[in-house]
């Protein structure tokens, strides 16, 4: 695995910003769903990954021998873990994607000329 750098992570956030800008340009909903779908995957999507990242950061801060011990550190570690739990709860957004897929599947089925034999 290549070494991670702040620039590597910035590239990821810039890509996400590009996606947001693109979605603001009113693309076709089916195409928009296809682009967003990997971000909201139930197991590997952004909420789950970011939650895991925050928990790993909390562990790194807590366990590192150079980190000063005390209430301040404990508070910050707790804040990271709380944020991780809140983000992990967002994993249910994949259900919204399922419903949106169903919505657009139903819309396509009701359009004139739709044939299930396609």
């Amino acid at each position: 695995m290549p070494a991670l750098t702040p620039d590597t992570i910035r590239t990821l956030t810039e890509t996400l910003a590009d996606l947001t800008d693109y979605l603001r340009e009113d693309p076709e909903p089916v195409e928009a769903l296809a682009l967003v779908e990997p971000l909201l995957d139930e197991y590997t999507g952004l909420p789950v990954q970011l939650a895991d990242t925050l928990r790993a950061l909390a562990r790194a801060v807590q366990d590192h021998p150079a980190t000063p011990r005390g209430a301040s550190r404990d508070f910050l570690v707790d804040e990271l873990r709380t944020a991780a739990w809140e983000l992990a709860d967002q994993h249910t957004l994949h259900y919204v994607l399922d419903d949106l897929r169903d919505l657009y599947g139903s819309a396509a089925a009701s359009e004139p000329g739709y044939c299930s034999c396609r």
Side-chain angles (χ1 to χ4, degrees):
M1 179 169 129
L4 293 175
T5 66
D7 286 337
T8 305
I9 305 305
R10 265 189 221 84
T11 299
L12 294 172
T13 59
E14 288 169 5
T15 300
L16 188 57
D18 290 344
L19 174 60
T20 302
D21 290 343
Y22 174 75
L23 293 173
R24 288 180 178 142
E25 295 173 2
D26 298 324
E28 289 295 319
V30 173
E31 185 178 335
L33 286 171
L35 292 172
V36 172
E37 195 169 13
L39 294 175
L40 299 179
D41 183 83
E42 180 178 9
Y43 302 106
T44 61
L46 194 56
V48 173
Q49 294 293 330
L50 188 53
D52 287 346
T53 299
L54 292 177
R55 280 191 288 274
L57 176 58
R59 190 176 322 107
V61 167
Q62 182 176 17
D63 294 346
H64 196 277
T67 302
R69 306 291 182 216
S72 178
R73 183 213 54 179
D74 294 344
F75 174 77
L76 294 171
V77 167
D78 286 345
E79 287 290 306
L80 288 169
R81 289 183 175 147
T82 298
W85 276 109
E86 291 171 1
L87 282 166
D89 284 346
Q90 300 304 311
H91 80 280
T92 59
L93 286 169
H94 74 277
Y95 293 122
V96 173
L97 286 180
D98 292 342
D99 293 343
L100 285 169
R101 272 190 236 102
D102 290 345
L103 175 70
Y104 284 99
S106 298
S110 65
E111 289 178 8
Y114 176 81
C115 173
S116 60
C117 60
R118 283 189 206 176

